[in-house]
Amino acid sequence: MSLQIEQIVLHQLIRKNENEIDVVLRDSLLENHQVVTDLIADVNRIYNNKAKAYGLFNEGSLFEASVKEMKLGNQDFLNFSQESVKQLRNELAKYPFAEGGTVVFCQYRYLAVEYLLIAVLNTCHSMLVNEKLEINQTQYLDIDHADIIARMDITEWQTDPNSKRYLTFLKGRVGRKVSDFFMDYLGASEGLNAKNQNKSLVKAVDDYCQEIQLDKQEKKAVREQVYGYCKGQLEAGEEIRLSNLAKELPTSDDNDFSSFLASQDYDLDEEFPVDRSTLRQLKKFSGSGGGLTINFDSDLLGERIKWDAQSDTLVIKGIPPNLRDQLQRNNS
């Protein structure tokens, strides 16, 4: 892994009561050794594997102004982190579900890109057996369940003033999302909506198949091609690139996928992240409501499953054995 830590420091936020959180500030940076590198590598791994929201700074963002001052050399990283964690405390204090924790500020490079990562990690208690087989209590950072993390792509922020995605936030809990108060703290708003981009791609693929008059089997093959490409990009940690995807799709005499997109208004970026849940629509039909949840492979439609649009009815032939057993027990 080519992860190079430049500066890192820890502070703590301790919940005192419903409206108050104390701040414990460290007065020096951490030394860069293997344990520190392993910590950031683990946080980075968890972060990359979770769903994220994308954003950009609002005009007048105090956090952006502080980052600019730091990059200009007008304040050091330690002072920046100390003042910033106080601002974070003020935002977290507004929400009783925010318990505080250890706050990590890390400036690092990964694959030639400079990042600023901010994570709030909970502390968990566990038991440790020593060499004398005695049991002692120990504490550890619960990295695997971290859900309060934001990351700034400093390189993109500096080089692309029109970017809508140099800030990312983990999507979190029930109620007001964790990403919402990170946006308040950073003075940011949502930019790129990856889920909407993926939904538009699915619709564009279906519309394109109809445009070039593919039959049912050909359309199924195209959907599988698109799904396979996107899944491969996700597994490789890469994004969807429309120009590359277009090369894998069939063409008609006077049309191809790139030309089709150019002639329509799908509002798709050339590159955008894969949204796993949305792309499942290429392989499955699913929906829930009114106490009913239905999920089935798309190739079953017209075969074992038939839909009558007039009566809004699905007819299923050959229900799963475990469901049949439940129905039989209920009927006896």
Side-chain angles (χ1 to χ4, degrees), residues 42 67 72 106 111 167 177 187 194 202 284 321 331:
D42 283 348
V67 175
L72 289 171
C106 183
L111 300 178
L167 296 175
K177 299 175 184 176
V202 172
K284 291 181 178 293
N331 199 40

Side-chain angles (χ1 to χ4, degrees), residues 144-159:
D144 286 344
H145 298 101
D147 59 2
I148 306 180
I149 305 177
R151 187 171 71 183
M152 176 183 178
D153 185 329
I154 294 177
T155 301
E156 185 166 340
W157 169 68
Q158 290 181 315
T159 59

